[in-house]
Amino acid sequence: MERKKFLLNENDIPQAWYNVIPDMAQKPAPLIHPATKQPLKAEDLYPIFSKAASEQELNTTDSWIEIPEAVREMYRIWRPTPLVRATGLEKLLDTPAHIYFKNESVSPVGSHKLNSALAQAYYCKQEGVTNITTETGAGQWGAALSLAAKHFGLELAVYMVKISYNQKPYRRSMMQTYGAEVISSPSMSTKAGRKIITDNPTYQGSLGTAISEAVELAISTPNCKYVLGSVLNHVALHQTVIGLEAEKQMAMAEEYPDVVIACFGGGSNFAGLSFPFLRHKLNGETPDTRFIAAEPASCPKLTRGVFQYDFGDEAGYTPLIPMYTLGHNFCPANIHAGGLRYHGGGAIISQLKHDNIIDAVDIPQLESFKAATMFARSEGIIPAPESSHAIAATINEALKCKVSGEKKTILFNLSGHGLIDMAAYDRYFANDLTNYEVTAEDIAKTTKDLEKLL
Amino acid sequence: MERKKFLLNENDIPQAWYNVIPDMAQKPAPLIHPATKQPLKAEDLYPIFSKAASEQELNTTDSWIEIPEAVREMYRIWRPTPLVRATGLEKLLDTPAHIYFKNESVSPVGSHKLNSALAQAYYCKQEGVTNITTETGAGQWGAALSLAAKHFGLELAVYMVKISYNQKPYRRSMMQTYGAEVISSPSMSTKAGRKIITDNPTYQGSLGTAISEAVELAISTPNCKYVLGSVLNHVALHQTVIGLEAEKQMAMAEEYPDVVIACFGGGSNFAGLSFPFLRHKLNGETPDTRFIAAEPASCPKLTRGVFQYDFGDEAGYTPLIPMYTLGHNFCPANIHAGGLRYHGGGAIISQLKHDNIIDAVDIPQLESFKAATMFARSEGIIPAPESSHAIAATINEALKCKVSGEKKTILFNLSGHGLIDMAAYDRYFANDLTNYEVTAEDIAKTTKDLEKLL
């Protein structure tokens, strides 16, 4: 019988994270200071982030960055995660493709987010920080950081996007169980939040807005730093443990992926799985591997956004980031994949997309839930609405193989489970969900003034 | 650094389940046919259960029963499960004890219940059954059987205890996502349900009532069998994969448990973890190992019930079972540990308790949530309210070691995670939960006529 799971041992947990930038022929353009319009230096980030994270953010020379032992020790709670051959899904699709998934849903908080949360909380603690703030969309990141903050003895305030705060009360409860404070965003507790509530009282929030609130609180609070769950280079860096483990596990399976797929919000799980495999493409060993970012059709920055400098947040507190963006004022539809409701794509991934090294596809909400249901019934695991976009893209690739007869090896990231998102499944089965169209006019409106930012 | 997790490979998944009865000096008294008052034969069970399950139920001679390959193949989705050293909890308690837990929460449905669900669904399918019915308390069993039924191509109707149906809507959604039909119990769809609703319109349901409804539907529907999630011998049998794996993993850790602890509802997860270790006590190799069943103080059958023949269900459809019971009409308080709200203890475990081979403790609801929160914050995993009873008992034992200085090795079963039970945690943090007292008068009332059943 073929093996279903490929398991590693604790000593296979990577010793170092992989930084893809040194291997990129075309590096991402620098982050820009919004006031001086000059390339950012690490010390410009110190008021917001921990020094270690700030330095990692701008590190373009070191390919490997050592993982602190205290972080690896916490990784041992659930890492290494299994690589699974999706034999049930293959059978259901009747495809000659071999489908594998990296199961990051086995983390105690249910997603990959803990990989970076632990690292960032650790660095803050090391530097004497006492309080941290963050934003969260669906709550996956907030739950992960709550656990990390508790472990390292930090107080945490989480701004949770209003629509998710109401849609996903259980994830709010998780954060509270780990001991964090959770605030619905936009809130009256910050200038950025007050302005948005005043301008638009029914606004359901977005990741961009929640980031503004969290950054503002961090800047205005003594001994407090801000911690981010996606988009930035250092977050992508921390997530590479996913792909580094998967690389070993694919070797155990005696296969190498022809296609690597992950869902795409700000890029953290996509980067985490794909960068370690991508390095073999960048150095010419595996030129034909395809990398596919699966984003929601309602928030299609990689497939339909513009490649330009933009803010990472709604209010414009962050540095200017060179990226594919729908504009920092783009307000995504209220899809249940709250973790994908973000306007921009992160500097590294945007550059790779611009250079045609990676691809992107957009998945309508109903297609993502159809794929999720097929996966749940054939593989047993109910996926997060975010991860379901990767599953939908995987199914599309596997069905192409069925037509062509090609026996491709497809690897996707199951970034999280959906047990906290069951209300979304209820709505899907009740035919109460819809797809959302984004028109060219919508995008033109929110991207038209971006050039003036520089 | 000491290892945190002890992981096995797929070929370590047991080939056979362990049947403890042949090793018991004092066997449990036989099941009794309620009409004839004679010891039950396997064929008496055929109208209700699959033949294979019926035969396993009455098997007192075979120590090992082969696990069908199709069931082992499904086990490979998540088994073997990790054995984890709870270093975070040890540190928090500052105890010299070594605490280990078997992490059954990593199953795709979030609990150990899938171990027996797959076996029972498989046997039904093999015997040409098309429809199955069951009961569920908190929904852990119902979710597991929904996945198993979908995999083997059976239609499933689940009677879910009304209080849990309302308290835990997400678990109902899980069952529906896997394709099962879920009915709140008591319901108007059965004679047993109609009678209870008529007698007591505000009745919030119990496992005993839900079993009555499911059995009635099975008996009255062509080609339909009933499937049970706990209490009976064949269910305990299927769960022994837990302890058989844990035995190998404790050997990897180079320790042997002095104390083995699991929460106790009908006995399935307690039996699953403990029986494989118990066999070494029964054969005299490890006479000093203690086995502790942790039951809720609001439903204390092992600690305060009577040892007598009783029905397994409220309406009296099942065989008479020799067990510790609070009476089949005992209505447990509405605690959040819905899986523990059952009046009786199962024949094998009751006999072992009667013979002082195992112990039992009762845990008040608030103590269980306090323990759960300590565990979540120190080990990262938010436990199911049921499993939290085992954690509370473990903490009590570890704190005794702190006083005595003994370096005991404690092993408990983390039977499930609590991500679907977050509403209960919300209520706990809001000081909105309470303990429930059971008086001697309550128990006297519901047990007084049991002798007349024989």
Side-chain angles (χ1 to χ4, degrees):
Chain A
M1 186 184 286
E2 279 173 338
R3 286 175 67 178
K4 174 95 181 157
K5 285 194 307 300
F6 299 87
L7 301 174
L8 300 170
N9 276 305
E10 289 186 347
N11 48 19
D12 292 310
I13 296 173
Q15 306 272 349
W17 295 300
Y18 168 64
N19 179 12
V20 73
I21 299 176
D23 289 332
M24 291 169 72
Q26 182 68 50
K27 317 282 186 210
L31 299 182
I32 295 291
H33 195 297
T36 66
K37 315 283 180 188
Q38 294 302 306
L40 212 72
K41 296 192 216 60
E43 47 266 43
D44 297 328
L45 290 172
Y46 291 174
I48 307 182
F49 297 107
S50 69
K51 288 180 186 173
S54 302
E55 279 150 25
Q56 289 173 357
E57 185 59 29
L58 301 186
N59 189 326
T60 58
T61 52
D62 298 319
S63 292
W64 299 96
I65 292 173
E66 195 185 337
I67 305 175
E69 198 48 45
V71 174
R72 286 187 82 235
E73 174 159 1
M74 285 299 283
Y75 281 175
R76 291 156 70 222
I77 287 181
W78 81 105
R79 304 209 70 85
T81 63
L83 180 82
V84 183
R85 172 88 183 266
T87 48
L89 183 61
E90 288 173 16
K91 198 173 155 197
L92 180 69
L93 299 173
D94 189 24
T95 174
H98 288 191
I99 302 175
Y100 293 85
F101 62 93
K102 181 68 169 163
N103 187 0
E104 289 290 304
S105 79
V106 300
S107 126
V109 295
S111 82
H112 71 293
K113 291 290 188 185
L114 201 48
N115 297 324
S116 184
L118 289 164
Q120 295 192 62
Y122 167 79
Y123 290 128
C124 286
K125 185 67 181 182
Q126 283 295 101
E127 296 172 17
V129 170
T130 55
N131 293 57
I132 57 177
T133 70
T134 198
E135 79 298 329
T136 197
Q140 298 271 27
W141 168 249
L145 192 62
S146 299
L147 171 54
K150 172 56 66 181
H151 177 73
F152 287 112
L154 299 163
E155 294 299 319
L156 168 64
V158 181
Y159 287 92
M160 185 172 189
V161 175
K162 188 175 177 185
I163 178 76
S164 292
Y165 188 89
N166 293 322
Q167 274 177 352
K168 299 176 200 289
Y170 280 20
R171 212 165 262 131
R172 178 184 2 130
S173 308
M174 284 178 73
M175 294 185 244
Q176 289 165 343
T177 300
Y178 291 128
E181 180 187 350
V182 187
I183 307 115
S184 175
S185 168
S187 78
M188 293 298 282
S189 68
T190 64
K191 271 189 283 185
R194 284 194 292 276
K195 177 167 189 315
I196 292 164
I197 289 177
T198 309
D199 292 352
N200 183 355
T202 62
Y203 184 59
Q204 293 294 298
S206 73
L207 278 167
T209 302
I211 293 173
S212 295
E213 294 206 274
V215 170
E216 186 183 319
L217 184 67
I219 294 174
S220 59
T221 304
N223 215 11
C224 181
K225 296 290 174 194
Y226 167 68
V227 174
L228 182 68
S230 191
V231 184
L232 291 178
N233 300 350
H234 67 278
V235 185
L237 174 78
H238 303 154
Q239 293 295 350
T240 56
V241 288
I242 303 171
L244 292 167
E245 287 179 7
E247 208 187 342
K248 287 190 191 178
Q249 291 164 310
M250 289 302 303
M252 290 168 75
E254 299 180 1
E255 302 217 53
Y256 191 87
D258 299 302
V259 190
V260 178
I261 298 174
C263 67
F264 195 85
S268 81
N269 98 89
F270 177 82
L273 179 67
S274 67
F275 286 1
F277 290 97
L278 192 68
R279 80 184 195 276
H280 304 298
K281 178 168 179 162
L282 294 174
N283 72 13
E285 285 165 25
T286 56
D288 297 331
T289 312
R290 283 184 65 208
F291 296 86
I292 304 177
E295 61 183 9
S298 57
C299 194
K301 55 260 182 183
L302 292 182
T303 49
R304 298 178 59 196
V306 298
F307 185 61
Q308 216 141 39
Y309 271 102
D310 194 4
F311 288 114
D313 70 319
E314 206 273 344
Y317 292 147
T318 72
L320 288 164
I321 304 170
M323 62 181 175
Y324 278 95
T325 177
L326 297 164
H328 59 277
N329 294 128
F330 179 83
C331 182
N334 295 333
I335 57 168
H336 277 272
L340 308 185
R341 295 176 71 249
Y342 184 71
H343 65 278
I348 298 173
I349 287 161
S350 293
Q351 187 65 49
L352 291 165
K353 172 72 174 61
H354 187 67
D355 296 337
N356 292 313
I357 295 168
I358 66 164
D359 294 336
V361 295
D362 62 334
I363 306 286
Q365 175 159 266
L366 292 178
E367 185 180 336
S368 75
F369 276 95
K370 184 180 173 194
T373 305
M374 289 168 75
F375 185 76
R377 293 181 178 182
S378 59
E379 291 293 326
I381 305 169
I382 298 177
E386 291 82 4
S387 316
S388 304
H389 290 70
I391 298 171
T394 297
I395 290 173
N396 290 340
E397 292 299 313
L399 291 177
K400 279 186 215 162
C401 288
K402 187 174 174 178
V403 173
S404 69
E406 284 175 292
K407 205 171 151 180
K408 285 192 181 167
T409 299
I410 306 172
L411 167 64
F412 76 89
N413 199 21
L414 184 70
S415 55
H417 66 62
L419 296 185
I420 302 290
D421 305 279
M422 293 315 304
Y425 281 86
D426 280 352
R427 291 190 61 196
Y428 173 66
F429 290 118
N431 283 323
D432 191 27
L433 287 185
T434 176
N435 289 328
Y436 294 93
E437 291 271 333
V438 178
T439 67
E441 290 71 41
D442 294 335
I443 297 172
K445 208 183 295 175
T446 48
T447 56
K448 73 177 156 54
D449 290 328
L450 292 181
E451 285 165 34
K452 298 180 191 159
L453 294 176
L454 267 194
Chain B
M1 184 183 286
E2 278 174 337
R3 286 175 67 179
K4 175 96 182 157
K5 285 194 307 301
F6 299 87
L7 300 174
L8 301 169
N9 276 306
E10 289 187 347
N11 48 20
D12 292 310
I13 296 173
Q15 307 272 348
W17 295 300
Y18 168 63
N19 179 11
V20 74
I21 299 175
D23 290 332
M24 291 169 71
Q26 183 66 49
K27 317 281 185 210
L31 299 182
I32 296 289
H33 195 297
T36 65
K37 314 283 179 186
Q38 294 301 306
L40 212 71
K41 295 191 215 61
E43 48 265 42
D44 296 327
L45 291 171
Y46 291 173
I48 307 181
F49 298 107
S50 69
K51 287 181 186 173
S54 302
E55 278 150 24
Q56 289 173 357
E57 185 60 29
L58 301 186
N59 188 327
T60 58
T61 51
D62 299 318
S63 293
W64 298 96
I65 291 172
E66 195 185 338
I67 305 176
E69 198 47 46
V71 173
R72 287 188 82 235
E73 173 159 1
M74 285 300 283
Y75 281 174
R76 290 158 71 221
I77 287 181
W78 80 105
R79 302 209 73 85
T81 63
L83 180 82
V84 183
R85 173 86 183 268
T87 48
L89 184 62
E90 287 173 18
K91 198 174 156 196
L92 180 69
L93 298 174
D94 189 24
T95 174
H98 288 191
I99 303 174
Y100 293 84
F101 62 92
K102 181 68 170 163
N103 188 359
E104 290 291 303
S105 79
V106 299
S107 124
V109 295
S111 83
H112 71 293
K113 291 290 188 184
L114 201 48
N115 297 324
S116 184
L118 288 164
Q120 295 191 62
Y122 167 79
Y123 290 129
C124 285
K125 185 66 181 181
Q126 283 295 101
E127 295 173 17
V129 170
T130 55
N131 293 57
I132 57 178
T133 70
T134 198
E135 79 297 330
T136 197
Q140 298 270 27
W141 168 247
L145 192 62
S146 299
L147 171 53
K150 171 56 66 180
H151 176 73
F152 288 112
L154 299 164
E155 294 299 320
L156 168 63
V158 181
Y159 286 91
M160 184 172 188
V161 175
K162 188 175 177 185
I163 178 76
S164 293
Y165 188 90
N166 293 323
Q167 275 177 349
K168 299 176 200 288
Y170 280 20
R171 212 164 262 129
R172 179 187 359 132
S173 308
M174 284 178 73
M175 295 184 244
Q176 289 165 342
T177 300
Y178 291 128
E181 180 186 350
V182 187
I183 308 116
S184 175
S185 167
S187 77
M188 293 297 282
S189 68
T190 64
K191 270 190 283 185
R194 284 193 292 276
K195 178 167 188 317
I196 292 163
I197 289 177
T198 309
D199 292 352
N200 182 357
T202 63
Y203 184 60
Q204 292 294 298
S206 73
L207 277 167
T209 302
I211 293 173
S212 295
E213 294 207 274
V215 170
E216 186 183 319
L217 184 68
I219 294 173
S220 59
T221 304
N223 214 12
C224 181
K225 296 289 173 194
Y226 167 68
V227 173
L228 182 68
S230 191
V231 185
L232 291 178
N233 300 349
H234 67 279
V235 186
L237 175 77
H238 303 153
Q239 293 294 351
T240 57
V241 288
I242 302 171
L244 292 168
E245 286 180 6
E247 207 186 345
K248 287 189 191 179
Q249 290 164 311
M250 289 302 302
M252 290 168 74
E254 297 179 1
E255 301 218 53
Y256 191 87
D258 299 303
V259 191
V260 178
I261 298 175
C263 68
F264 194 86
S268 81
N269 97 89
F270 178 82
L273 179 66
S274 67
F275 286 179
F277 290 97
L278 192 68
R279 79 185 196 275
H280 304 299
K281 177 167 180 161
L282 294 174
N283 73 13
E285 284 165 24
T286 57
D288 297 331
T289 312
R290 283 185 65 209
F291 295 86
I292 304 177
E295 60 183 10
S298 56
C299 193
K301 55 259 180 183
L302 292 181
T303 50
R304 298 177 60 196
V306 298
F307 185 62
Q308 217 141 41
Y309 270 102
D310 194 4
F311 288 113
D313 70 320
E314 205 274 345
Y317 291 148
T318 72
L320 288 164
I321 305 170
M323 61 180 175
Y324 278 96
T325 178
L326 297 163
H328 60 278
N329 295 127
F330 179 84
C331 182
N334 294 334
I335 57 169
H336 277 273
L340 307 185
R341 295 176 71 250
Y342 184 71
H343 65 277
I348 298 173
I349 287 161
S350 292
Q351 186 66 47
L352 292 166
K353 171 72 174 63
H354 187 68
D355 296 338
N356 291 315
I357 296 168
I358 65 165
D359 293 336
V361 295
D362 62 334
I363 306 287
Q365 175 160 266
L366 292 178
E367 185 181 337
S368 74
F369 276 95
K370 184 180 174 195
T373 305
M374 290 169 74
F375 185 76
R377 292 180 179 183
S378 59
E379 290 294 325
I381 304 170
I382 298 177
E386 292 81 4
S387 316
S388 304
H389 290 71
I391 297 171
T394 297
I395 289 173
N396 290 341
E397 292 299 313
L399 291 177
K400 280 186 216 163
C401 289
K402 187 175 176 178
V403 173
S404 69
E406 285 175 292
K407 204 172 151 179
K408 285 193 180 166
T409 299
I410 306 172
L411 167 65
F412 77 88
N413 199 21
L414 183 70
S415 55
H417 66 62
L419 297 184
I420 302 290
D421 305 280
M422 293 315 304
Y425 281 86
D426 280 353
R427 291 190 60 196
Y428 173 66
F429 289 119
N431 283 324
D432 190 26
L433 287 185
T434 176
N435 289 329
Y436 293 93
E437 292 269 333
V438 178
T439 67
E441 290 72 42
D442 293 336
I443 297 172
K445 208 182 296 174
T446 48
T447 56
K448 74 176 156 55
D449 290 329
L450 291 181
E451 285 165 34
K452 298 180 191 160
L453 292 176
L454 267 193

